């Protein structure tokens, strides 16, 4: 319990008082309220950030955006990001590697699209470039094409090529890789007389 400068009694959680450096029995003036509010923001930022990170790894930009949407003051956001970076819970390099690995496991994409996605998540260009180096576009395009080809099995080559090529293009693969994947998959699925 605290007493305000107006003589009112205010009930505040003991842990909040401890974190704000306020002792029970102190006069709860404007300065003490500011300290308590600041500590509330710190706790809200920390708990929210941990909850947000528990769902999947996040980039620093994603975390900052999330906390800003919760109306946390900018200086508290920076403190929290620094705190989590120091604890190894926010690391854009690890995030980028994880993002690329998860994408390639669930729905493979080309280096170009992966890089674009990482840049959109706020990862620096050098970090994004490094993370996508492990992706072999040619192999990934062929794997994606093989997975999609069964849906296009009864089409003539021109339509097969357009649809599969468009799908691969939307996945961020380059023209040469697309053409090779389309031709390879076509030749694997048709009789020898129809191969290209």
């Amino acid at each position: 319990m605290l007493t305000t400068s107006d003589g009112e009694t205010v009930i505040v959680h003991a842990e909040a008082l401890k974190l704000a450096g306020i002792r029970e029995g102190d006069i709860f003036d404007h300065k003490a309220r500011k300290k308590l509010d600041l500590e509330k923001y710190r706790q809200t930022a920390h708990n929210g950030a941990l909850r947000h990170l528990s769902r999947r790894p996040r980039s620093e930009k994603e975390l900052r955006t999330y906390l800003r949407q919760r109306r946390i003051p900018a200086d508290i956001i920076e403190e929290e990001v620094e705190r989590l970076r120091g604890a190894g819970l926010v690391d854009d390099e690890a995030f980028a590697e994880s993002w690329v690995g998860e994408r390639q496991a669930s729905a493979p994409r080309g280096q170009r699209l992966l890089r674009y996605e990482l840049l959109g998540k706020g990862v620096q260009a050098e970090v994004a470039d490094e993370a996508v180096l492990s992706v072999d576009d040619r192999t990934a395009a062929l794997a994606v094409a093989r997975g999609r080809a069964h849906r296009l099995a009864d089409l003539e080559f021109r339509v097969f090529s357009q649809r599969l090529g468009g799908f691969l293009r939307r996945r961020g693969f380059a023209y040469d890789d697309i053409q090779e994947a389309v031709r390879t998959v076509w030749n694997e699925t048709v009789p020898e007389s129809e191969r290209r």
Side-chain angles (χ1 to χ4, degrees):
M1 264 198 275
L2 294 174
T3 305
T4 66
S5 53
D6 298 342
E8 293 181 46
T9 301
V10 179
I11 298 173
V12 181
H13 194 280
E15 185 69 20
L17 292 175
K18 181 179 173 187
L19 291 170
I22 302 169
R23 291 182 304 248
E24 196 169 329
D26 285 355
I27 298 294
F28 194 60
D29 58 5
H30 179 70
K31 185 177 176 183
R33 179 173 291 280
K34 272 183 88 171
K35 285 172 75 176
L36 189 60
D37 287 345
L38 190 63
E39 197 52 49
K40 273 181 24 184
Y41 278 127
R42 282 191 178 108
Q43 286 300 308
T44 301
H46 187 64
N47 293 336
L50 291 177
R51 200 169 33 258
H52 198 52
L53 287 168
S54 71
R55 294 183 189 109
R56 70 166 174 82
R58 306 285 178 170
S59 69
E60 285 187 25
K61 179 184 176 188
E62 286 180 301
L63 191 57
R64 282 188 180 93
T65 301
Y66 175 80
L67 293 174
R68 225 181 348 264
Q69 290 171 344
R70 305 287 169 289
R71 292 194 163 87
I72 305 293
D75 56 332
I76 302 295
I77 291 172
E78 290 310 310
E79 278 179 30
E80 186 59 27
V81 169
E82 187 60 39
R83 177 182 183 181
L84 294 171
R85 190 184 310 124
L89 296 174
V90 176
D91 179 351
D92 277 358
E93 289 176 13
F95 167 77
E97 289 174 20
S98 171
W99 182 265
V100 169
E102 287 176 23
R103 285 300 212 207
Q104 293 312 94
S106 64
R109 292 158 162 73
Q111 285 185 2
R112 186 177 54 201
L113 182 56
L114 288 167
R115 183 180 188 278
Y116 179 76
E117 289 176 343
L118 288 170
L119 293 175
K121 298 287 183 189
V123 174
Q124 292 181 352
E126 309 82 49
V127 174
D129 291 341
E130 185 68 29
V132 301
L133 281 178
S134 63
V135 176
D136 178 3
D137 275 356
R138 195 163 292 241
T139 303
L142 186 56
V144 171
R146 283 181 175 139
R148 189 71 169 187
H150 71 283
R151 296 180 185 185
L152 310 169
D154 297 330
L155 302 174
E156 64 176 350
F157 180 75
R158 182 183 61 77
V159 178
F160 177 88
S161 177
Q162 286 174 343
R163 290 190 183 169
L164 186 55
F167 181 76
L168 293 172
R169 204 171 16 267
R170 289 187 297 279
R171 289 289 183 100
F173 294 106
Y175 179 80
D176 292 341
D177 297 328
I178 291 170
Q179 293 306 308
E180 184 177 321
V182 167
R183 196 171 20 265
T184 300
V185 171
W186 174 262
N187 290 335
E188 290 173 354
T189 58
V190 298
E192 194 170 327
S193 61
E194 296 180 39
R195 291 186 182 167
R196 306 235 166 195

